[in-house]
């Protein structure tokens, strides 16, 4: 029984690793691995261990197949959000009266900006929430701004949940 559990765990770990790597097998040309995975079958116990591993790793069908029906409603809502959260490291001297206007002006290149809100955090991070008129503009802005440099610092840009923003839950 212990050997069967070890085999099931090993198979589960391989399947989870494959899902996280984005496919079966690793580099192109790894034909031997692909062939062995192609003919693999798993038992109910192995399937259970795979699902447990995926749950612990934050994976699952929605993570492995983001465009699938398994994508959660929260993920779908975030994709439809018209709010972008920008985040980067900022010192207190970096935050002045013009900063909000600078971001409003820069972000208006992607579409009409309805609102800009700054949220300095204690750990030296600055979050800037930009509310656009449409989710299409927000998505475009997030894609274009993510990884961009501002004042010598790299910006992280992501879509932010519309309901959380409206409720004022920004931290």
């Amino acid at each position: 029984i212990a050997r069967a559990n070890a085999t099931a765990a090993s198979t589960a770990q391989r399947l989870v690793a494959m899902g996280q790597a984005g496919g079966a097998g690793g580099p192109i040309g790894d034909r031997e691995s692909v062939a062995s995975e192609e003919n693999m079958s798993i038992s109910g116990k192995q399937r259970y261990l795979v699902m447990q591993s995926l749950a612990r790793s934050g994976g699952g069908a929605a993570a492995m197949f983001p465009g699938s029906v398994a994508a959660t409603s929260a993920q779908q809502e975030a994709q439809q959000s018209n709010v972008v959260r920008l985040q980067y490291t900022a010192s207190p001297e970096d935050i002045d009266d013009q900063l909000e206007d600078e971001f409003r002006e820069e972000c208006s290149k992607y579409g009409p900006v309805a609102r800009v809100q700054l949220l300095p955090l204690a750990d030296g991070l600055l979050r800037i929430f930009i509310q656009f008129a449409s989710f299409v503009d927000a998505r475009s802005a997030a894609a274009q701004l993510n990884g961009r440099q501002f004042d010598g610092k790299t910006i992280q840009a992501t879509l932010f949940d519309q309901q959380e923003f409206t409720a004022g839950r920004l931290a």
Side-chain angles (χ1 to χ4, degrees):
I1 293 176
R3 184 170 184 236
N5 284 343
T7 302
S10 172
T11 303
Q13 290 169 345
R14 281 194 351 223
L15 288 172
V16 169
M18 284 175 16
Q20 290 174 345
I28 300 173
D30 192 358
R31 293 185 196 334
E32 190 175 299
S33 177
V34 171
S36 68
E37 301 299 338
E38 190 174 284
N39 296 317
M40 181 185 354
S41 65
I42 62 174
S43 69
K45 172 96 175 151
Q46 291 169 323
R47 186 174 296 112
Y48 176 75
L49 288 171
V50 168
M51 297 311 290
Q52 280 186 322
S53 294
L54 285 171
R56 279 193 305 272
S57 69
M64 291 170 56
F65 309 105
S68 72
V69 176
T72 65
S73 62
Q75 287 172 323
Q76 291 169 347
E77 286 175 20
Q79 292 172 353
Q80 299 295 315
S81 176
N82 65 344
V83 178
V84 175
R85 181 184 73 185
L86 305 176
Q87 181 172 289
Y88 71 99
T89 306
S91 65
E93 303 86 53
D94 294 335
I95 304 168
D96 58 21
D97 296 337
Q98 290 83 30
L99 191 60
E100 186 176 314
D101 291 334
E102 289 174 24
F103 275 98
R104 180 182 302 278
E105 183 179 328
E106 182 63 29
C107 290
S108 67
K109 295 175 183 176
Y110 305 102
V113 173
R115 183 174 163 199
V116 176
Q117 186 169 348
L118 303 178
L119 179 65
L121 301 174
D123 58 0
L125 289 177
L126 174 63
R127 289 187 179 161
I128 301 134
F129 296 88
I130 314 290
Q131 184 176 23
F132 287 88
S134 77
F135 76 89
V136 174
D137 295 337
R139 191 176 339 153
S140 175
Q144 296 295 318
L145 293 170
N146 191 41
R148 220 171 119 186
Q149 296 287 313
F150 178 77
D151 206 22
K153 298 166 186 150
T154 303
I155 293 176
Q156 294 175 348
T158 57
L159 291 174
F160 189 78
D161 185 271
Q162 180 73 42
Q163 292 176 342
E164 294 293 309
F165 179 75
T166 303
R169 293 186 291 264
L170 306 178

